[in-house]
Amino acid sequence: FTLNDTGPRVNVNLPSGKYIIHAMFNGEKQGAIFNLKENKSRKVVLNWKNSHSEAYEANTLEDLKE
């Protein structure tokens, strides 16, 4: 699904599964990859204050192997 013109905070309820987030702010793209388990919550933070994406460092393909 797509969310347009949202933020600075967005909360969504998603079913369990594997997810990839793509986001853009002021022309800078960021994203995250994560696995959401049933009946568990997950916090994913995208931070545009720094010059690189902390989200990709914290949420790598290893999350998909869980």
Side-chain angles (χ1 to χ4, degrees), residues 18-35:
K18 298 174 185 175
Y19 292 92
I20 300 173
I21 297 173
H22 299 277
M24 185 184 318
F25 179 70
N26 287 338
E28 182 183 341
K29 297 178 185 178
Q30 290 191 25
I33 301 167
F34 65 97
N35 189 21

Side-chain angles (χ1 to χ4, degrees), residues 31-34 42-43 45 53-61 63:
I33 301 167
F34 65 97
R42 181 74 186 248
K43 181 178 181 179
V45 177
S53 172
E54 294 174 4
Y56 276 119
E57 291 175 14
N59 302 290
T60 65
L61 291 175
D63 284 338

